[in-house]
C-alpha cells in the first residue's frame, strides 16, 4: 500500500469496524494512518443510503432544511451534509456526461437570487453575498438543462458561462437570449462563425393602471405588450428565437427548490450551499423527473444520454467516488480514505520556513525562521 499523503510504503495496522472489518494502514514516513474502505455512495457520512435517499427526495420536491429535519427526525446539520455530498456528486455527473452533445436550439437566460442578504445590505461588498444570478442553458427540444453558472450579473460571469457552454454543445446550433447588452458581446466572442444567434426583447405593461407601484396590483404579474425578434449573426430560424422554455425552467427551479422561493426565509446563507442545492435540483430534473411534454420521458432520455428513468440512489452511485472524499493512489490505482482530522486537538508542531542562504544570507534566514517558530501555535 502507498501512503496517499507522502507516497511512501505503508504497513498493515490492524482492523476496525464490526461485521465487515476494514484494513488499517500506517505510514512509516509521515506517521499517519488510514483505512482501505470500500466504495460508499455518501463517502464518510454514516447516514444510511435509504435514509439519505428520502432526505434528497424531500429536498428536490421543494422542502426546506428544517422541515426535512422535522419529518425525517434527523439533525439539520446531517441534512446539510447529505445535500452537500449529493450536490457535489451531481455537479460532477453533469460535467462528465454533457460533453459535445447535439442540441440544435438552445435558450439562455439568467435568474435572480441572493445569498445572505439583499445587495443594499451588503455593505462590505463581498462578492459571495448579496445579489446573485443563476445562468442556465436549456435545449428547446428535449428541455434538458445543459449547464449553469452562479455569480454576479457581469460580463465576467457571462464570459465564464459561454466558455463552459462551448465545451458542452456540438456546433453548429442556434442560440437565443433576451436583449441584455452583455449577452451579445460575449456570444460573439465565443461562437461567432460557429453558431447562429438571435435575440428576443419583450416589453411589459401593467394590467391595472399607469402606475405599477399601486397597492392593488404591485405583486400582480405584468403582461407582455410587444415582442421584438432580431438576427444578430448567422442563419437563424425566427420561429425558434424564443426564451419561453428557459422561463418555464426558471419556474420549475423556484417551485422545487426552497432556496429560490421568493419572499421567504428559505434563502441561502452561503454561496457554496446554493451551488450544491442548484446542482442537485438540475441533476434530478434532468435524470429523475419525468417531463409530461416529453411523453413520459426525462430530459436526459429525450437528449439520448440515458435510456431509463434514474432513481435517486442511482444518481448518487453513478457519479463514482466524487464527493465521497476518497484518495486514489497513482501507483497501485487503489482507492483509500484520508485520515480523520480532529480539530479539537492541536499538535505542538513547529513551522519551519527555509530560505536560500545564497540569495538572502544566513542572518536573514535565521531571523525569519525564528519569527515563524515564535508565531506558531503551541
Amino acid at each position: 500500500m502507498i501512503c496517499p499523503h507522502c507516497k511512501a510504503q505503508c504497513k498493515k495496522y490492524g482492523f476496525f469496524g464490526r461485521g465487515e472489518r476494514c484494513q488499517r494502514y500506517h505510514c512509516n514516513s509521515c506517521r499517519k494512518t488510514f483505512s482501505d474502505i470500500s466504495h460508499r455512495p455518501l463517502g464518510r457520512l454514516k447516514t444510511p443510503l435509504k435514509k439519505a435517499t428520502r432526505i434528497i427526495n424531500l429536498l428536490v420536491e421543494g422542502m426546506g432544511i428544517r422541515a426535512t429535519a422535522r419529518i425525517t427526525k434527523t439533525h439539520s446539520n446531517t441534512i446539510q451534509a447529505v445535500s452537500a455530498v449529493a450536490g457535489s456528486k451531481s455537479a460532477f455527473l453533469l460535467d462528465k456526461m454533457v460533453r459535445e452533445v447535439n442540441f440544435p436550439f438552445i435558450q439562455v437566460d439568467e435568474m435572480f437570487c441572493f445569498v445572505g442578504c439583499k445587495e443594499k445590505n451588503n455593505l462590505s461588498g463581498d462578492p459571495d453575498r448579496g445579489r446573485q444570478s443563476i445562468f442556465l442553458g436549456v435545449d428547446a427540444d428535449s428541455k434538458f438543462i445543459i449547464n449553469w453558472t452562479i455569480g454576479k450579473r457581469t460580463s465576467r460571469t457571462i464570459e465564464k458561462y459561454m466558455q463552459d457552454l462551448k465545451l458542452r454543445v456540438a456546433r453548429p446550433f442556434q442560440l437565443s437570449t433576451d436583449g441584455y447588452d452583455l449577452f451579445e458581446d460575449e456570444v460573439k466572442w465565443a461562437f461567432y462563425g460557429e453558431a447562429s444567434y438571435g435575440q428576443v426583447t419583450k416589453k411589459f405593461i401593467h394590467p391595472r393602471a399607469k402606475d405599477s407601484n399601486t397597492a392593488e396590483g404591485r405583486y400582480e404579474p405584468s403582461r407582455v405588450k410587444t415582442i421584438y425578434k432580431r438576427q444578430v449573426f448567422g442563419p437563424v430560424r425566427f420561429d425558434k428565437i424564443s426564451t419561453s422554455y428557459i422561463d418555464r425552467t426558471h419556474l420549475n427551479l423556484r417551485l422545487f427548490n426552497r432556496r429560490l422561493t421568493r419572499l421567504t426565509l428559505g434563502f441561502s446563507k452561503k454561496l457554496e450551499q446554493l451551488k450544491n442545492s442548484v446542482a442537485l435540483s438540475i441533476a434530478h430534473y434532468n435524470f429523475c423527473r419525468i417531463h409530461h411534454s416529453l411523453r413520459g420521458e426525462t430530459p436526459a432520455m429525450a437528449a439520448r444520454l440515458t435510456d431509463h428513468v434514474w432513481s435517486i440512489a442511482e444518481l448518487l452511485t453513478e457519479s463514482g467516488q466524487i464527493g465521497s472524499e476518497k484518495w486514489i493512489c497513482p501507483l497501485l490505482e487503489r482507492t483509500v480514505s484520508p485520515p480523520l482530522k480532529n480539530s479539537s486537538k492541536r499538535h505542538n508542531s513547529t513551522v519551519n520556513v527555509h530560505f536560500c542562504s545564497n540569495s538572502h544570507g544566513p542572518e536573514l534566514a535565521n531571523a525569519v525562521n525564528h519569527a515563524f517558530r515564535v508565531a506558531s501555535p503551541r
Side-chain angles (χ1 to χ4, degrees):
M1 176 59 66
I2 303 298
C3 177
H5 302 278
C6 63
K7 304 299 184 295
Q9 292 289 340
C10 302
K11 64 179 181 180
K12 293 183 179 180
Y13 197 66
F15 298 87
F16 84 97
R18 296 179 180 178
E20 184 181 357
R21 299 192 302 172
C22 298
Q23 179 68 54
R24 298 283 295 175
Y25 294 93
H26 180 266
C27 180
N28 297 326
S29 178
C30 62
R31 304 293 181 182
K32 294 183 179 180
T33 60
F34 56 93
S35 58
D36 186 10
I37 302 178
S38 58
H39 169 65
R40 295 186 299 181
L42 297 177
R44 288 189 164 275
L45 295 183
K46 297 181 180 180
T47 307
L49 182 60
K50 184 177 181 180
K51 188 173 185 179
T53 302
R54 185 187 179 193
I55 290 173
I56 295 174
N57 193 14
L58 294 176
L59 291 177
V60 297
E61 291 297 333
M63 192 167 291
I65 296 293
R66 298 188 181 276
T68 304
R70 289 191 294 267
I71 290 179
T72 60
K73 297 181 180 181
T74 309
H75 199 275
S76 60
N77 292 343
T78 305
I79 305 295
Q80 293 182 357
V82 172
S83 176
V85 172
S88 61
K89 294 171 74 67
S90 300
F92 172 78
L93 179 66
L94 293 171
D95 180 74
K96 180 179 66 174
M97 295 192 65
V98 186
R99 295 279 182 173
E100 295 291 335
V101 185
N102 185 20
F103 296 119
F105 302 101
I106 300 176
Q107 301 178 9
V108 174
D109 200 1
E110 82 279 357
M111 178 173 57
F112 163 79
C113 64
F114 66 96
V115 175
C117 62
K118 295 295 183 65
E119 187 63 33
K120 64 179 181 179
N121 297 326
N122 187 16
L123 303 180
S124 61
D126 189 357
D128 293 341
R129 292 172 58 85
R131 179 188 176 97
Q132 304 289 334
S133 295
I134 305 176
F135 291 86
L136 296 176
V138 174
D139 178 37
D141 295 335
S142 63
K143 314 301 186 296
F144 187 87
I145 301 179
I146 304 170
N147 65 333
W148 58 276
T149 298
I150 301 179
K152 298 293 185 178
R153 195 167 180 252
T154 59
S155 60
R156 179 176 298 180
T157 306
I158 299 177
E159 179 185 3
K160 177 182 176 182
Y161 173 81
M162 291 301 171
Q163 295 300 326
D164 182 73
L165 182 65
K166 197 172 184 178
L167 302 176
R168 314 293 175 191
V169 185
R171 271 83 69 188
F173 65 94
Q174 179 173 327
L175 180 64
S176 300
T177 64
D178 57 7
Y180 188 42
D181 297 337
L182 296 180
F183 273 128
E184 182 176 350
D185 297 334
E186 300 302 333
V187 171
K188 283 184 179 180
W189 177 261
F191 298 107
Y192 188 79
E194 298 181 355
S196 55
Y197 175 45
Q199 284 186 347
V200 53
T201 303
K202 299 178 182 178
K203 289 189 176 182
F204 298 89
I205 185 173
H206 199 270
R208 285 185 176 270
K210 296 181 180 180
D211 185 10
S212 60
N213 294 324
T214 56
E216 295 83 10
R218 182 177 180 182
Y219 293 111
E220 186 175 352
S222 301
R223 299 176 183 175
V224 178
K225 181 181 179 181
T226 55
I227 298 177
Y228 299 96
K229 296 182 180 181
R230 74 183 186 95
Q231 176 185 4
V232 181
F233 61 83
V236 298
R237 287 181 53 181
F238 277 86
D239 59 331
K240 293 295 184 179
I241 301 178
S242 173
T243 57
S244 300
Y245 293 120
I246 185 65
D247 292 336
R248 185 61 176 85
T249 305
H250 290 168
L251 179 60
N252 284 338
L253 288 180
R254 291 198 183 277
L255 179 64
F256 295 112
N257 194 323
R258 188 60 176 174
R259 298 175 184 270
L260 302 178
T261 306
R262 291 179 179 268
L263 304 178
T264 64
L265 297 176
F267 59 91
S268 296
K269 311 309 183 291
K270 294 181 179 179
L271 183 61
E272 190 65 27
Q273 296 175 355
L274 177 62
K275 291 181 179 180
N276 292 330
S277 178
V278 170
L280 178 59
S281 298
I282 292 176
H284 182 268
Y285 171 84
N286 285 337
F287 296 96
C288 303
R289 190 183 300 277
I290 296 178
H291 207 288
H292 292 288
S293 65
L294 300 177
R295 299 180 180 180
E297 292 184 345
T298 61
M301 296 172 61
R304 299 298 180 263
L305 294 178
T306 59
D307 57 354
H308 64 284
V309 180
W310 285 19
S311 63
I312 297 180
E314 188 176 3
L315 184 67
L316 293 175
T317 55
E318 283 294 327
S319 56
Q321 302 289 342
I322 298 299
S324 58
E325 297 181 2
K326 294 280 186 173
W327 297 75
I328 298 179
C329 295
L331 298 181
L332 298 181
E333 296 296 331
R334 293 192 61 181
T335 304
V336 296
S337 296
L340 292 174
K341 295 182 180 180
N342 192 353
S343 58
S344 62
K345 296 182 180 180
R346 292 184 178 271
H347 300 283
N348 295 327
S349 59
T350 303
V351 180
N352 294 323
V353 180
H354 300 284
F355 290 86
C356 180
S357 59
N358 295 331
S359 58
H360 297 278
E363 294 83 8
L364 180 59
N366 294 331
V368 174
N369 288 333
H370 176 71
F372 270 87
R373 291 192 184 96
V374 173
S376 61
R378 297 293 182 184

